[in-house]
Amino acid sequence: MKALFRFLFFVLLVLCLCIPLSAKENPDAKTVSEALQKACPTEFGYVDNSEYYMRTYFSDLADIDDFHIVTCADSTNFSEIGVFHMKDTAHLSQNQKLLKKYLAKIKSNFENGVVYNTKEYPKFENAKVFASGRYLVYAVLDRDGVTKVETALRGIAE
């Protein structure tokens, strides 16, 4: 009888341990975004601009089922992190191109004098798009921040 209870306890323990792991395999975009923000905090924190950015800049992205976009709470700091969860990877390449086009546009705006805070320029030069599984992420951060975001994403989404 003790062997049966031990066996049932072991099975129950394994099931309890596996359920949280399967739930973490595919965290929502906000959860991923929050982890990336922790990996690369700003002095002023981040604010959620998801809805505005999706309407204004990213309405052409295909097959996105979840997203979370944050910018630095200080308007003179141009830190941005965008996380997009795709329904599948069929439009991954197309969406990467659209995000790269967005990054090129904001860099061009800076170069053409639309943005005047010159100490922020390295962030535009270092901006990068990452893909991991069904996640597509862009980061407008300094070189160290981009590296931290890329490393954190690998730990979350793979």
Side-chain angles (χ1 to χ4, degrees):
M1 191 62 141
K2 283 184 179 181
L4 178 62
F5 282 120
R6 285 184 191 160
F7 175 76
L8 290 175
F9 176 76
F10 177 75
V11 169
L12 183 62
L13 179 64
V14 168
L15 287 174
C16 289
L17 291 174
C18 289
I19 291 170
L21 291 176
S22 64
K24 289 182 181 180
E25 285 178 7
N26 210 12
D28 65 3
K30 184 176 181 179
T31 302
V32 173
S33 176
E34 288 170 347
L36 300 180
Q37 291 170 59
K38 285 180 185 173
C40 190
T42 66
E43 179 182 354
F44 303 99
Y46 291 94
V47 294
D48 183 347
N49 279 304
S50 299
E51 297 300 326
Y52 173 76
Y53 271 61
M54 280 303 285
R55 277 192 322 272
T56 307
Y57 304 112
F58 304 124
S59 60
D60 292 339
L61 293 176
D63 291 334
I64 301 296
D65 63 3
D66 193 19
F67 56 90
H68 196 253
I69 304 159
V70 294
T71 57
C72 183
D74 175 23
S75 63
T76 63
N77 180 318
F78 292 96
S79 299
E80 285 182 33
I81 300 172
V83 177
F84 305 88
H85 186 263
M86 301 177 61
K87 294 176 187 171
D88 57 48
T89 57
H91 293 95
L92 179 66
S93 178
Q94 172 189 343
N95 286 342
Q96 281 179 308
K97 287 177 187 172
L98 289 169
L99 289 177
K100 288 177 182 180
K101 185 177 176 182
Y102 166 73
L103 295 178
K105 180 174 176 55
I106 62 174
K107 182 180 178 187
S108 173
N109 286 346
F110 188 95
E111 292 169 343
N112 293 323
V114 176
V115 179
Y116 299 102
N117 189 349
T118 57
K119 72 179 178 105
E120 294 294 296
Y121 185 71
K123 291 179 182 178
F124 298 106
E125 289 183 313
N126 294 310
K128 194 169 176 184
V129 176
F130 312 99
S132 183
R134 295 188 317 170
Y135 294 95
L136 198 51
V137 172
Y138 78 90
V140 180
L141 301 162
D142 60 29
R143 180 176 289 130
D144 184 50
V146 169
T147 301
K148 288 177 181 178
V149 165
E150 187 173 22
T151 301
L153 179 64
R154 270 188 263 140
I156 297 166
E158 291 184 350

